[in-house]
Amino acid sequence: MDINKTCRGIAGHGHQHDLRKQCGSQKSFKEIEGEWYSVGLASDKREIIEEHGSMRVFVEHIHVFKNSSLAFHFHTVINGECTELYLVSDKTEKDGEYYVKYDGDNIFNVLATDYDGYIIFHLRNINNGEMFQLMELYGRKPELSSNIKEKFVDLCKKHGIVEENILDLTGVDRCLQARDGGEA
């Protein structure tokens, strides 16, 4: 899986003119594997990302399988306690696109990444005939620069998500205490 094809495909749809530069050159999806932190979250359906929302999950790790499937290790807060959540997503027939079943049917792709610092995902969910989109900003560290956060906000707006529905997660309980086998 070549992420550059993903970036070219997205850039070709007018979402961002310089994605190829942002996504790097000749890197594979394998390079997104490793530890990540949830930094930003946005949706055109705000209630799903608010406290107790089904999509308010906090990433810990992404694993890339040999068949290019992606495994996500998340934490979410249920009844006041951090709970682990594991999801495996599979490639679709479209290059750079993945599918996962969670609170409906989800198709997602990478909009931008530099591999070493941040990654931005765009997800479309269909559940019981209703659709919403979700965007996630992950960092290799718990905090990211204001430039990266601004890039995330700009991409969200370009996808029709209003600024009131874009959350900076750095000031909320992201279950950091539950990482690495710690107690929640």
Side-chain angles (χ1 to χ4, degrees), residues 5 12 20-21 27 52 100 120-121 139 151 162 165 168 170-171 180:
K5 291 179 185 173
R20 278 180 273 177
K21 182 176 79 177
K27 298 222 180 195
H52 309 297
V100 64
I120 298 172
F121 286 99
K151 180 183 297 198
V162 295
N165 291 6
D168 183 336
T170 57
D180 301 322

Side-chain angles (χ1 to χ4, degrees), residues 144-151:
L144 290 173
S145 72
S146 59
N147 288 343
I148 300 298
K149 289 180 181 181
E150 288 170 18
K151 180 183 297 198

Side-chain angles (χ1 to χ4, degrees), residues 131-144:
M131 188 182 122
F132 66 81
Q133 60 181 329
L134 175 82
M135 294 183 64
E136 298 172 285
L137 170 61
Y138 299 161
R140 292 285 187 180
K141 296 179 180 176
E143 180 63 74
L144 290 173

Side-chain angles (χ1 to χ4, degrees), residues 4 10 13 20 22 25 62 64 86 100 114 163 183-184:
N4 290 312
I10 294 166
H13 288 93
R20 278 180 273 177
Q22 292 176 22
S25 60
I62 299 173
V64 181
Y86 294 91
V100 64
D114 67 357
E163 194 156 357
E183 291 299 314

Side-chain angles (χ1 to χ4, degrees), residues 11-45:
H13 288 93
H15 294 298
Q16 189 155 350
H17 67 281
D18 61 344
L19 281 174
R20 278 180 273 177
K21 182 176 79 177
Q22 292 176 22
C23 290
S25 60
Q26 300 189 13
K27 298 222 180 195
S28 72
F29 234 80
K30 186 74 174 159
E31 303 222 18
I32 70 168
E33 182 166 88
E35 187 173 296
W36 292 95
Y37 294 86
S38 295
V39 175
L41 195 57
S43 179
D44 53 6
K45 187 176 178 184

Side-chain angles (χ1 to χ4, degrees), residues 71-176:
F72 291 82
H73 178 195
F74 292 108
H75 294 274
T76 187
V77 179
I78 299 175
N79 297 324
E81 295 195 23
C82 292
T83 305
E84 291 182 303
L85 173 67
Y86 294 91
L87 297 174
V88 176
S89 57
D90 297 311
K91 285 176 39 177
T92 69
E93 291 182 10
K94 287 179 79 175
D95 196 30
E97 185 178 81
Y98 283 81
Y99 169 85
V100 64
K101 184 87 168 168
Y102 174 73
D103 198 28
D105 296 305
N106 300 276
I107 300 289
F108 69 90
N109 54 13
V110 174
L111 287 186
T113 186
D114 67 357
Y115 303 96
D116 299 323
Y118 77 95
I119 188 166
I120 298 172
F121 286 99
H122 178 257
L123 176 142
R124 294 169 313 283
N125 172 286
I126 298 175
N127 191 9
N128 296 323
E130 293 186 31
M131 188 182 122
F132 66 81
Q133 60 181 329
L134 175 82
M135 294 183 64
E136 298 172 285
L137 170 61
Y138 299 161
R140 292 285 187 180
K141 296 179 180 176
E143 180 63 74
L144 290 173
S145 72
S146 59
N147 288 343
I148 300 298
K149 289 180 181 181
E150 288 170 18
K151 180 183 297 198
F152 177 66
V153 169
D154 289 344
L155 278 171
C156 291
K157 288 179 179 177
K158 286 180 181 178
H159 281 83
I161 298 173
V162 295
E163 194 156 357
E164 301 82 57
N165 291 6
I166 304 170
L167 305 180
D168 183 336
L169 299 175
T170 57
V172 303
D173 178 7
R174 295 180 281 170
C175 293
L176 297 179

